[in-house]
């Protein structure tokens, strides 16, 4: 017996798996147990997510106002950079957005290219080396990646760049390395799961490999690609350990350049939760957490719009 995933044959099941599936499929009680197990598992996941969202909304929504973001500064003055925001989250929101955009611009093109190479072009030892490197990089803890960035700055200060310091660019580079495996593996898996008939459609119509990839395979695998991109953006938005060692500060104002310090929402949440002196400061931390959640949802919406635009471009 062979299990098919997305029309592509997978590995044959072993004798023990076949015996267990035959046992469950042949008995009404077994089918009922599997159905109940699936429903309970789904309910646990949905309940956990709903409880988390409701808890964040109940604690963060009451403090979600203009003062949370801009403090004592005027809204227009803060947004135009004319007034510094010392006790609000506006600078952290701007820093997080800049960090996510910069990281995505670095990681997504390389990740999608690596996934295409892994699925379509790489063979033999090259494919094994590329897949092993992606999986090994995916297993690196974020704190180790932060230490790598910090060590890189120390090396540069003692060699060719004595003025080098932790900054927004260094944080984005380290985060791009951290999220790169998600995009590579998601792209390769989305392309590998396409039906064999779809792979043969382009050559049968006289298309070149690039034409088949651009007009047939990539549009068909766009949902999988989008999943990898969204996962990468979410990871870049929430990670704290990497930026903690590579450039984030508690009060740095708006990001003024790639080589400057910056603020970020994940670090603001950590700082407020660890150093709060009153319930109002703790509630401000919950407000920051809810803001980060909303920002992630907005990024997801932007990714879906980008996917729709890419599909229209591909089908022309």
């Amino acid at each position: 017996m062979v299990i098919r995933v997305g029309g592509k044959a997978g590995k044959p099941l072993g004798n023990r798996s076949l015996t267990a599936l035959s046992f469950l499929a042949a008995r009404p009680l077994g089918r009922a147990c599997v159905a109940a197990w699936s429903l309970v598992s789904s309910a646990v996941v949905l309940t956990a997510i709903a409880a988390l969202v409701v808890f964040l909304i109940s604690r963060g929504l009451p403090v979600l106002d203009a003062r949370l973001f801009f403090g004592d500064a005027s809204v227009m003055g803060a947004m135009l950079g004319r007034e510094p925001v010392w006790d609000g989250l506006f600078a952290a929101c701007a820093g997080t957005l800049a960090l996510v955009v910069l990281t995505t611009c670095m990681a997504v093109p390389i990740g999608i290219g690596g996934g295409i190479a892994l699925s379509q072009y790489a063979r033999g030892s090259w494919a094994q080396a590329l897949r092993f490197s992606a999986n090994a990089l995916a297993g690196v803890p974020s704190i180790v990646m932060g230490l790598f960035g910090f060590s890189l700055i120390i090396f540069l200060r003692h060699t060719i760049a004595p003025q080098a310091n932790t900054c927004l660019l260094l944080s984005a580079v380290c985060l791009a390395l951290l999220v790169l495996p998600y995009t590579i593996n998601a792209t390769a898996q989305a392309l590998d799961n396409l039906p064999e008939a779809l792979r043969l459609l382009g050559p049968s119509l006289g298309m070149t490999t690039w034409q088949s990839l651009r007009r047939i395979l990539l549009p068909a695998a766009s949902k999988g690609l989008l999943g990898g991109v969204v996962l990468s953006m979410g990871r870049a938005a929430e990670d704290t350990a990497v930026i903690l060692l590579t450039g984030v500060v508690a009060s740095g104002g708006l990001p003024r350049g790639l080589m400057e310090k910056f603020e970020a929402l994940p670090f603001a949440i950590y700082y407020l939760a660890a150093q709060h002196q009153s319930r109002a400061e703790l509630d401000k931390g919950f407000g920051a957490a809810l803001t980060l959640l909303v920002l992630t949802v907005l990024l997801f919406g932007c990714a879906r719009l980008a996917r729709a635009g890419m599909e229209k471009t591909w089908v022309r």
Side-chain angles (χ1 to χ4, degrees):
M1 181 177 180
V2 175
I3 295 294
R4 289 186 171 273
V5 180
K8 184 179 180 181
K11 293 182 179 179
L13 293 177
N15 291 332
R16 291 184 178 179
S17 300
L18 283 174
T19 303
L21 287 176
S22 301
F23 175 80
L24 293 174
R27 289 163 174 77
L29 180 60
R31 293 195 293 270
C33 289
V34 172
W37 174 48
S38 302
L39 290 174
V40 170
S41 300
S42 304
V44 167
V45 174
L46 294 175
T47 302
I49 294 174
L52 175 63
V53 173
V54 169
F55 177 71
L56 276 181
I57 291 176
S58 65
R59 295 297 301 269
L61 192 60
V63 298
L64 208 62
D65 53 17
R67 182 173 176 76
L68 176 70
F69 294 99
F70 302 102
D72 296 328
S74 65
V75 175
M76 289 305 298
M79 295 188 71
L80 295 176
R82 296 173 180 172
E83 296 182 39
V85 180
W86 300 113
D87 53 351
L89 298 176
F90 177 67
C93 293
T96 301
L97 195 59
L99 185 65
V100 171
V101 171
L102 200 56
T103 302
T104 303
C105 290
M106 292 180 186
V108 169
I110 299 175
I112 291 179
I116 292 174
L118 190 59
S119 174
Q120 303 295 313
Y121 299 108
R123 297 291 182 270
S125 57
W126 184 28
Q128 291 179 356
L130 184 57
R131 196 177 298 276
F132 174 79
S133 301
N135 292 333
L137 196 58
V140 174
S142 56
I143 189 67
V144 175
M145 193 61 73
L147 283 172
F148 163 73
F150 188 72
S151 302
L152 178 63
I153 285 298
I154 293 177
F155 171 76
L156 292 176
R157 288 174 70 94
H158 286 84
T159 53
I160 59 176
Q163 304 300 322
N165 203 351
T166 54
C167 58
L168 176 62
L169 180 61
L170 179 65
S171 294
V173 170
C174 292
L175 277 176
L177 289 174
L178 191 70
V179 304
L180 193 59
Y182 297 105
T183 313
I184 292 176
N185 291 331
T187 303
Q189 189 174 9
L191 290 171
D192 289 342
N193 287 339
L194 293 177
E196 192 63 25
L198 203 59
R199 296 175 179 278
L200 298 176
L201 179 60
S204 67
L205 294 175
M207 292 182 176
T208 63
T209 303
W210 167 245
Q211 289 173 331
S212 176
L213 185 67
R214 178 174 176 268
R215 296 188 177 276
I216 299 176
L217 300 183
L218 285 179
S222 60
K223 288 185 178 179
L225 270 67
L226 175 67
V229 171
V230 171
L231 190 62
S232 300
M233 294 171 68
R235 182 67 191 274
E238 60 83 22
D239 197 276
T240 307
V242 172
I243 61 176
L244 187 66
L245 297 171
T246 54
V248 74
V249 292
S251 298
L254 291 173
R256 295 181 296 275
L258 296 178
M259 308 307 292
E260 300 292 336
K261 305 281 188 181
F262 65 100
E263 296 184 38
L265 281 173
F267 182 74
I269 296 169
Y270 164 76
Y271 184 80
L272 289 170
Q275 303 292 331
H276 72 277
Q277 301 294 323
S278 64
R279 182 179 176 83
E281 291 184 356
L282 183 60
D283 288 340
K284 187 178 176 181
F286 281 110
L290 184 59
T291 303
L292 181 58
L293 182 63
V294 173
L295 183 63
T296 305
V297 173
L298 290 177
L299 290 174
F300 177 75
C302 292
R304 289 187 65 87
L305 291 177
R307 173 201 160 198
M310 291 166 64
E311 286 181 341
K312 289 181 181 178
T313 303
W314 277 329
V315 298
R316 286 177 183 173

